[in-house]
Amino acid sequence: MLFLLLLIMWGNWTIVSEFILVSFSALPSDLQALLFLLFLTIYLVTLMGNVLIILVTTADSALRSPMYFFLRNLSFLEIGFNLVIVPKMLGTLIIQETTISFLGCATQMYFFFFFGAAECCLLATMAYDRFVAICNPLRYPVIMSRRSCAQLAAASWFSGFPVATVQTTWIFSFPFCGPNRVNHFFCDSPPVIALVCADTSLFELEALTATVLFILFPFLLILGSYIRILSTIFRMPSAEGKHKAFSTCSSHLLVVSLFYSTAILTYFRPRSSTSPESKKLLSLSYTVVTPMLNPIIYSLRNNEVKAALRRVIHRTRGPQKL
């Protein structure tokens, strides 16, 4: 990351030293105050919910399966994603047109790309885990061994580095000749690229390629996995078996639907059909709302997590009954 920032400082001859995050400054101040309280509440619930998932899946021996190992990694990603975006956004709701330094903007964008790409790949890994568990249960312990799970998780995390490094370095090596108002609540690439005073067509082609690789390709892998999963479930002879199999993947399927529906609407819609305000609303969905819903979905829809939570609370309180 330090090497990336040195490259930006050395290669960029911009006269812009800071950016202004426009955020929701067009809204009335009283509405901004309400949004601040709402987003602060969501932010705290997100952090507490994901920390709780991490603690429960670590402390309870019944949740040592690969599914909960990947869920724990997802919670770490969601916490990082939130820490990158939400605190600065909350600041923009208190102070009109909050400034962010040139390097601060580059840093925020870098980690936004990193956590976003890593989450896409991790969701695909979790879908593969459910595919093996349901479609090939006899070989599941062998295929999804502890070593294999660690390698898949590491690969998911590592996938964020190349896209973050290439995208951020390229964007901030462009010259910025004066306008510095980013019409967003964080340093996302489209509103920042709009301020560049150079030809960005080659970068936009590369950005589209990266978007296809790190958003659409994992989505297609997830879609293919669930087509095979549903096909296997429908062939099961007993209704109880179908219900049990579907319940193990329904939470993940719901999380994937929430994440990808908003991400695809944000990054695959034509520019002419997307206003800056509508893009802000879509961005709120996958940067603020979805990370909050993930631990809620996995807690309320998963009996094993709820039972483990009760056991952890019971051990914390002592031998008395709940």
Side-chain angles (χ1 to χ4, degrees), residues 81-266:
F81 202 74
N82 248 241
L83 291 174
V84 168
I85 302 297
V86 180
K88 193 67 178 179
M89 183 191 69
L90 291 174
T92 66
L93 293 169
I94 299 174
I95 304 171
Q96 295 292 317
E97 299 189 342
T98 303
T99 59
I100 183 170
S101 69
F102 187 84
L103 291 182
C105 187
T107 302
Q108 187 184 52
M109 185 180 293
Y110 180 91
F111 284 106
F112 169 72
F113 282 137
F114 169 75
F115 287 117
E119 183 164 345
C120 288
C121 293
L122 185 62
L123 289 173
T125 299
M126 294 173 77
Y128 174 72
D129 170 66
R130 292 299 83 207
F131 162 74
V132 177
I134 294 173
C135 300
N136 202 351
L138 296 180
R139 297 195 60 204
Y140 180 73
V142 177
I143 296 174
M144 300 305 293
S145 64
R146 182 174 295 183
R147 181 180 179 182
S148 298
C149 290
Q151 290 173 340
L152 287 169
S156 298
W157 280 87
F158 180 78
S159 66
F161 285 109
V163 64
T165 302
V166 172
Q167 296 271 81
T168 309
T169 305
W170 200 340
I171 289 174
F172 286 91
S173 65
F174 284 121
F176 294 86
C177 303
N180 66 339
R181 293 168 61 86
V182 178
N183 193 6
H184 214 317
F185 56 83
F186 73 100
C187 288
D188 197 4
S189 57
V192 173
I193 279 292
L195 305 177
V196 169
C197 52
D199 181 19
T200 60
S201 56
L202 185 60
F203 167 79
E204 290 174 11
L205 179 61
E206 183 275 336
L208 178 62
T209 304
T211 302
V212 169
L213 285 175
F214 288 94
I215 294 182
L216 194 58
F217 184 65
F219 174 73
L220 292 176
L221 289 177
I222 293 169
L223 186 63
S225 296
Y226 273 105
I227 289 173
R228 291 288 303 276
I229 287 170
L230 291 175
S231 175
T232 301
I233 290 175
F234 289 142
R235 291 200 304 269
M236 291 179 177
S238 68
E240 182 181 353
K242 291 179 180 179
H243 175 74
K244 184 177 179 181
F246 187 75
S247 64
T248 63
C249 59
S250 60
S251 297
H252 178 256
L253 187 58
L254 185 55
V255 167
V256 166
S257 301
L258 288 170
F259 180 82
Y260 273 100
S261 59
T262 52
I264 289 174
L265 282 174
T266 301

Side-chain angles (χ1 to χ4, degrees), residues 73 131 276 313:
N73 277 268
F131 162 74
I313 295 173

Side-chain angles (χ1 to χ4, degrees), residues 57-70:
T57 56
T58 302
D60 195 274
S61 59
L63 302 182
R64 298 292 170 83
S65 67
M67 180 174 73
Y68 297 108
F69 170 74
F70 292 128

